[in-house]
Amino acid sequence: MNIWENLIEDFEKALPSDVQCELKMINSTESLTRFANSHIHQNVEEEITDVYLTIHLNGKTKNMNFNITSMKSAKDIIEKALSGIENNPEDITWPGLADKNNSFNGLKEISPEDPDLRAKKVKEFIDQGKDFNAAGYCSSNVSNVFVWNSNGLNSADTATGAFLDGIFRSETSAGSSHIGNKNLNEIDASNVGKEAYQIARESQNPEDIDPGTYEVILGPDAVSTILVFLSVYGFNAKSKVDGTSPIEIDSNQFDTKLTLIDDPFAEGALNFKIDSSGSKKTKTNIILEGVPKSFFHTRRTSKELKDKNTFHEMFGWGDSFGGIGTNLYLKPGETKKDEMISNVKKGIYINEFWYCRVLDPITQVVTGLNRNGSYLIEDGKITKPVGRLRFTQSFMKSLSQDNVVSVGSENRFADSEFGEGILNVPMLHLKEFNFTGGVSG
Amino acid sequence: MFELLNKCIDSAVGSGASYADARILISKSRTISSKDGDLEEFNDSENMGVGIRALVGSSWGFYATYDLSDSSLIKAGQKAFLIAEASSKVPGRNFPLADVPIVQDEYITPHEQNPFVVSSSDQVNLLVDATYLMKKQGSSVASGRLNFWDTEKWFASSQGHEIYQNIIESGGGISSLSIGDGETQIRSYPQSFGEYRTGGWEVIESFKFLDHTERLVEESSRLLTAPQCPEGTRDLILEGSQLALQIHESVGHAIELDRILGWEAAYAGTSHLQLDKLNEHRYGSSIMNIVADATLPGALATFKYDDEGTPAQRVDIVKEGIWTGVLTGRDSAAIAGVSPGGMVRADGYGRLPMVRMTNVGLLPGDSSLEEIISSTDDGVYMETNRSWSIDDLRLNFQFGCEVGWLVKNGKITDMVKNPTYTGITPNFWGSMDMLAGEKEWVFWGTPNCGKGQPSQVGHTGHPASPARFKDVRIGVRG
């Protein structure tokens, strides 16, 4: 892109020779069509070109970000960044700039999808359950990222994603489904609609059950929420630096049926192949047969923990967040959904979790609720839909040794509390899960 | 700027939109974070762009771009129209926009010291000194954060609005984390995630961080050896900032008209409230009086016009325990047949304006925290939020606080750790029997309210004073 090339040229000219500099640009078009009460009620598109600058001089660091419109000139921005930097405290964890040999170029020219195609997908979803009330969204995005530094690194990459997420509602029930793909054309909206409609239909007139400890079968979106919490609060090396992570590398913390890998180069992976330092990402084993193998590192956390960098710095997030994997795959097992259900003596099927919050990061005790489709399973059969339940459960313990009965045989991209497209997971059957409240509190 | 906005609007209307409005924003923000006496992050941000909204039949289209060239503005108007036209292929029922006064006006947040003019070194040093002190006093992880926003907005509509506003917001906080054997305990000041208000650097100066470091470290450390909060049903006394979050979650979101109408059903959820029960439904006890007031000087969600050009207002939401009001926009108000309340805002130029809480607060009562404690025989006093979760009807909630204090026979006795409480919205508010007065009424601010898709972060205010709730289930643990 010409804007990027011109930007580098201007910054190279304006940059004093003793300054270390990292420059990034995110250029994206994000489009999202939202529907509720079975019609499109919000429909948006945003085009951004945001620039992020990090300056390091005499042991001190300053970050700035701005968009192309607010920027007067490279010289002006550098002057602002350097102004007052000498009064800042020393940046003792400054990790240096990424090596120029880490450069990667995956840039592609891709045009944004048309709003008419998103409207068509929405209609295909809604048409699957005309007697129920449909709501959800269909989104598509094209994002280009660029990173340059004064060490000579110059990287760029393109990512695309499309998602359809929707529910059907009746007076007494709701059912949801979700799908993600690199290409909006590949989204099978009818199929997603059929699944959500079926769940909503079968969830009508739910009955309340007593709180307590139950076996559970978790749908992909519920599994994804557990893993994203463990990623942010556990495998994010920043939480280890802060002393709040429960993860111990090479210990038997998880069930041996679990293997979690971050693979940006897997076929169909939706997110960037470089991290925000501009370094080419690598395939990283996070959990191998129940054993934690790596944290998600940034340059700073790898320096602080004296560990190998895994290149998980996030675009648009500051150093105080740390890093997480964005192309995560939980290895599928061999158990089909029907077989999983048939193996449950008395348990609950949960399609989706809702509003989960950590009570204590180090124990990973989390509270939250179920929604959009839950059923009681008795003697291997679904017997009735169940209402709202509140759980208070350690997510670490939920995946601990011998608590995972089986792993589903089919993966899909799943939604989670912290976003979509970063986790591709199957269903899980867990031996024990602790529900602490029902509809009445 | 208004000339640029009108190019955009004319282009949308010329393409066939029945109504269009647009906003140009110049948004400056600053984030400073410190850990253990070091500067962890210093980031200045500035961006500028335009967002335009067009109406075709009953269908909206919104387009935003950073490019303010003439050709881009004309294209933006056309794109907003084309997106609305695509929406109209899956249309809802037609609605008029509720009438609002058409004004040309301007407003600047009253402030003493613009935080972007104050020396950034003074800002950094304040935070670094506070976290250094806490670390020295024994904190395992001492952290602090400051945030400042200076937002200039120009708004125009095809009906003739021309409004300029400059909103200045400041806030921050400090916390001490103590790490024990398999657990962490934290104490924060002024509240968890910091306290935020409209105003300048004087907001931060008023917090006097350095006067509170010793208490935070002592309490977070003492919590490690404190007994667990007992399980059972007891009287619950909530400190103001926790009550503010309780209001936010179990009242503020429930009264958003877009949720009640089902517009957020798939994501944020709906509401247990039904419009046909407005002015009848009992929300809480007779001492519960909630107002949404965007005119409160210094509160976080204070402005003069919302992002649809509707004047800021004070609206009764709950009067003597009866539900009387909702949070509205021009479209949702028209559909529901209520007055537009000036409660629509967007997170930046690139996001669609949507119904947002203003300063949704609980009016003060006639008691005091001291009096509440002295009249409680068996209860727990909880301070400062640590976790929050509520269902998608805003009924079933569970909150955790940083610290609890047992109250026995009218006196605070022991500190307890991991205090939690759970309840059902109308039962809980119905059990409120004592409420502190105006002297303890604080304009708490929440700077991180998530809503909408694409995701938007809203700044909301929740004035509150401490209160007592009878017979609440406390001490829920996993």
Side-chain angles (χ1 to χ4, degrees):
Chain A
M1 286 181 85
N2 284 341
I3 298 176
W4 176 241
E5 284 153 16
N6 295 340
L7 205 62
I8 294 176
E9 197 180 316
D10 291 348
F11 272 83
E12 273 187 310
K13 275 186 201 157
L15 199 65
S17 59
D18 53 348
V19 172
Q20 294 182 58
C21 171
E22 182 176 271
L23 191 66
K24 299 172 218 179
M25 186 173 89
I26 301 176
N27 164 261
S28 71
T29 302
E30 295 191 0
S31 316
L32 190 140
T33 300
R34 234 176 156 199
F35 55 103
N37 300 321
S38 300
H39 71 269
I40 294 174
H41 68 309
Q42 293 171 3
N43 203 345
V44 305
E45 184 163 300
E46 183 190 10
E47 193 185 350
I48 63 159
T49 300
D50 289 345
V51 180
Y52 296 77
L53 175 72
T54 299
I55 291 283
H56 186 77
L57 177 66
N58 298 330
K60 298 173 178 186
T61 306
K62 200 161 168 187
N63 298 304
M64 293 183 74
N65 68 280
F66 43 91
N67 71 357
I68 289 290
T69 316
S70 66
M71 181 184 140
K72 284 190 193 122
S73 67
K75 189 168 172 286
D76 176 62
I77 292 289
I78 289 170
E79 277 173 11
K80 276 187 187 165
L82 289 174
S83 141
I85 193 171
E86 67 280 1
N87 298 323
N88 280 0
E90 193 154 341
D91 181 0
I92 55 168
T93 61
W94 170 250
L97 300 170
D99 192 294
K100 68 176 180 183
N101 293 321
N102 294 355
S103 298
F104 173 82
N105 191 339
L107 199 64
K108 296 183 192 82
E109 265 197 43
I110 298 172
S111 300
E113 297 285 3
D114 193 279
D116 288 336
L117 182 56
R118 288 192 304 280
K120 181 171 172 278
K121 298 287 178 189
V122 167
K123 187 165 187 323
E124 285 169 9
F125 179 96
I126 291 171
D127 284 348
Q128 302 311 309
K130 287 189 168 168
D131 52 334
F132 279 19
N133 182 317
Y137 70 88
C138 177
S139 68
S140 54
N141 64 73
V142 181
S143 299
N144 304 303
V145 289
F146 306 82
V147 186
W148 170 89
N149 71 31
S150 51
N151 260 357
L153 175 137
N154 196 347
S155 290
D157 196 21
T158 300
T160 63
F163 300 94
L164 178 62
D165 183 288
I167 64 168
F168 279 100
R169 286 190 296 152
S170 71
E171 288 291 316
T172 61
S173 70
S176 67
S177 189
H178 177 93
I179 194 171
N181 198 291
K182 288 174 92 72
N183 186 341
L184 183 58
N185 269 310
E186 302 293 318
I187 297 278
D188 185 346
S190 303
N191 202 39
V192 183
K194 273 181 198 143
E195 185 177 297
Y197 179 60
Q198 188 185 344
I199 296 170
R201 210 157 31 91
E202 291 172 354
S203 301
Q204 290 181 95
N205 305 310
E207 293 179 28
D208 296 337
I209 59 170
D210 291 334
T213 301
Y214 287 86
E215 274 184 84
V216 289
I217 292 178
L218 303 180
D221 298 317
V223 172
S224 173
T225 290
I226 291 182
L227 290 173
V228 86
F229 269 70
L230 293 179
S231 295
V232 171
Y233 298 106
F235 286 99
N236 177 353
K238 181 65 168 54
S239 62
K240 192 68 180 174
V241 170
D242 289 343
T244 58
S245 168
I247 300 300
E248 298 293 340
I249 298 297
D250 289 332
S251 64
N252 297 316
Q253 286 186 298
F254 297 105
D255 193 282
T256 54
K257 295 177 199 70
L258 299 178
T259 290
L260 182 69
I261 293 167
D262 187 45
D263 188 358
F265 294 91
E267 191 166 344
L270 295 178
N271 290 304
F272 299 117
K273 295 173 176 58
I274 56 174
D275 80 346
S276 82
S277 74
S279 298
K280 183 184 173 184
K281 290 187 172 187
T282 55
K283 184 175 173 178
T284 310
N285 293 326
I286 306 303
I287 302 172
L288 267 187
E289 295 179 352
V291 179
K293 287 293 172 189
S294 176
F295 288 104
F296 300 119
H297 274 295
T298 65
R299 282 169 291 173
R300 283 186 190 268
T301 61
S302 71
K303 184 182 174 189
E304 287 192 73
L305 293 177
K306 299 184 177 60
D307 207 353
K308 195 177 152 195
N309 191 359
T310 58
F311 308 114
H312 283 107
E313 282 177 51
M314 308 274 287
F315 285 97
W317 291 74
D319 287 328
S320 55
F321 174 74
I324 61 164
T326 53
N327 298 283
L328 291 162
Y329 291 81
L330 185 65
K331 192 178 163 191
E334 291 172 350
T335 312
K336 292 190 184 312
K337 182 179 176 182
D338 289 349
E339 192 186 340
M340 223 178 234
I341 291 168
S342 71
N343 288 332
V344 175
K345 178 76 181 156
K346 185 173 185 185
I348 304 169
Y349 174 91
I350 290 179
N351 189 37
E352 204 180 307
F353 285 139
W354 165 249
Y355 220 124
C356 299
R357 291 293 182 273
V358 171
L359 271 64
D360 181 6
I362 213 161
T363 57
Q364 274 297 296
V365 173
V366 175
T367 187
L369 300 116
N370 58 321
R371 74 166 180 176
N372 296 335
S374 302
Y375 313 102
L376 186 69
I377 305 168
E378 292 171 296
D379 296 323
K381 289 199 172 81
I382 288 176
T383 51
K384 60 184 179 188
V386 296
R388 239 165 266 271
L389 288 162
R390 172 171 292 288
F391 68 85
T392 308
Q393 164 71 45
S394 161
F395 278 175
M396 283 297 288
K397 281 189 186 162
S398 74
L399 302 186
S400 65
Q401 281 198 49
D402 299 327
N403 203 49
V404 179
V405 180
S406 65
V407 179
S409 57
E410 285 177 31
N411 272 41
R412 71 161 165 83
F413 282 109
D415 202 1
S416 75
E417 283 268 340
F418 299 153
E420 64 205 355
I422 61 175
L423 273 146
N424 193 302
V425 298
M427 299 169 71
L428 287 180
H429 176 182
L430 307 182
K431 194 154 83 182
E432 291 186 347
F433 206 83
N434 187 26
F435 295 92
T436 50
V439 175
S440 55
Chain B
M1 290 295 187
F2 292 118
E3 199 179 315
L4 299 180
L5 287 171
N6 284 322
K7 277 184 186 151
C8 222
I9 290 165
D10 290 348
S11 165
V13 172
S15 300
S18 58
Y19 169 84
D21 59 30
R23 292 167 299 121
I24 288 176
L25 265 73
I26 300 177
S27 307
K28 281 191 224 165
S29 68
R30 173 171 293 167
T31 302
I32 306 171
S33 68
S34 169
K35 193 179 95 176
D36 296 342
D38 293 322
L39 177 64
E40 191 172 47
E41 188 175 347
F42 185 105
N43 191 74
D44 272 343
S45 171
E46 183 170 348
N47 64 52
M48 182 177 183
V50 64
I52 174 161
R53 193 170 68 143
L55 188 61
V56 173
S58 64
S59 304
W60 287 109
F62 176 83
Y63 183 77
T65 178
Y66 60 90
D67 187 348
L68 298 183
S69 65
D70 280 2
S71 60
S72 169
L73 292 168
I74 290 165
K75 189 185 113 188
Q78 290 164 345
K79 287 277 274 187
F81 165 75
L82 287 172
I83 293 168
E85 203 177 37
S87 305
S88 69
K89 290 177 179 162
V90 191
R93 67 183 168 95
N94 271 314
F95 57 86
L97 284 178
D99 285 336
V100 296
I102 308 302
V103 295
Q104 293 81 42
D105 199 1
E106 60 178 53
Y107 168 78
I108 298 171
T109 299
H111 63 283
E112 290 167 23
Q113 301 175 75
N114 185 309
F116 293 87
V117 174
V118 171
S119 151
S120 62
S121 302
D122 288 351
Q123 297 169 344
V124 168
N125 290 340
L126 173 67
L127 213 51
V128 165
D129 288 352
T131 62
Y132 173 80
L133 206 55
M134 286 192 289
K135 188 71 182 172
K136 209 173 136 192
Q137 287 160 343
S139 176
S140 304
V141 182
S143 55
R145 189 176 184 85
L146 296 176
N147 289 99
F148 305 102
W149 295 273
D150 180 340
T151 310
E152 289 186 276
K153 302 184 197 186
W154 291 261
F155 171 82
S157 79
S158 57
Q159 293 178 325
H161 289 93
E162 285 191 355
I163 297 166
Y164 167 78
Q165 293 188 95
N166 182 192
I167 307 292
I168 295 166
E169 301 153 294
S170 301
I174 55 172
S175 63
S176 165
L177 182 82
S178 291
I179 301 174
D181 185 17
E183 68 172 315
T184 63
Q185 296 295 339
I186 191 166
R187 289 296 285 127
S188 307
Y189 171 81
Q191 63 160 321
S192 47
F193 312 113
E195 166 61 1
Y196 292 81
R197 299 190 186 148
T198 48
W201 176 241
E202 67 278 4
V203 170
I204 305 299
E205 286 183 322
S206 74
F207 295 153
K208 301 190 187 314
F209 288 147
L210 300 182
D211 293 350
H212 295 267
T213 59
E214 198 174 341
R215 177 180 61 83
L216 296 184
V217 175
E218 191 274 326
E219 288 184 358
S220 67
S221 170
R222 188 145 61 99
L223 277 164
L224 290 173
T225 54
Q228 293 282 355
C229 177
E231 282 188 73
T233 300
R234 281 182 169 77
D235 290 353
L236 171 70
I237 303 165
L238 292 182
E239 161 272 342
S241 73
Q242 172 57 32
L243 188 53
L245 192 64
Q246 177 77 48
I247 296 165
H248 179 98
E249 300 292 356
S250 67
V251 182
H253 279 305
I255 57 169
E256 290 165 343
L257 187 51
D258 53 353
R259 292 178 73 112
I260 295 171
L261 293 173
W263 297 359
E264 292 290 321
Y267 182 57
T270 57
S271 172
H272 62 281
L273 299 170
Q274 292 170 347
L275 270 181
D276 58 356
K277 299 285 187 291
L278 191 66
N279 298 314
E280 290 173 23
H281 173 72
R282 178 156 284 284
Y283 214 113
S285 68
S286 59
I287 60 168
M288 181 186 192
N289 290 288
I290 300 264
V291 297
D293 188 352
T295 68
L296 279 179
L300 184 59
T302 294
F303 46 85
K304 193 167 181 188
Y305 299 94
D306 75 354
D307 286 344
E308 291 187 313
T310 306
Q313 297 164 42
R314 181 185 195 271
V315 175
D316 285 324
I317 299 296
V318 177
K319 232 175 164 177
E320 294 178 357
I322 302 297
W323 175 42
T324 57
V326 287
L327 305 179
T328 58
R330 292 186 68 185
D331 49 6
S332 55
I335 288 169
V338 296
S339 297
M343 291 130 168
V344 164
R345 287 182 293 159
D347 178 10
Y349 72 84
R351 291 289 188 260
L352 181 74
M354 64 193 308
V355 173
R356 278 296 192 176
M357 285 174 233
T358 55
N359 300 303
V360 178
L362 178 64
L363 294 181
D366 56 8
S367 188
S368 67
L369 179 60
E370 195 182 346
E371 203 173 280
I372 292 171
I373 288 170
S374 68
S375 13
T376 301
D377 291 333
D378 182 17
V380 180
Y381 170 52
M382 296 190 194
E383 289 182 303
T384 323
N385 181 263
R386 193 171 187 193
S387 70
W388 67 103
S389 171
I390 187 163
D391 72 13
D392 56 2
L393 295 173
R394 301 282 147 176
L395 267 176
N396 177 326
F397 58 80
Q398 181 170 313
F399 289 93
C401 291
E402 291 184 353
V403 63
W405 306 90
L406 295 183
V407 180
K408 295 273 184 202
N409 302 321
K411 288 196 166 52
I412 284 184
T413 57
D414 301 313
M415 170 192 264
V416 290
K417 68 180 168 189
N418 303 326
T420 58
Y421 66 95
T422 188
I424 300 294
T425 295
N427 304 345
F428 180 79
W429 284 106
S431 76
M432 181 171 68
D433 72 336
M434 290 187 85
L435 180 57
E438 203 151 359
K439 278 186 188 163
E440 294 171 272
W441 198 49
V442 175
F443 294 175
W444 300 103
T446 304
N448 56 351
C449 174
K451 188 180 173 186
Q453 292 171 307
S455 173
Q456 300 197 35
V457 177
H459 297 182
T460 65
H462 305 291
S465 53
R468 184 174 78 177
F469 299 82
K470 297 292 284 179
D471 300 329
V472 178
R473 185 180 168 203
I474 65 163
V476 182
R477 275 193 295 280

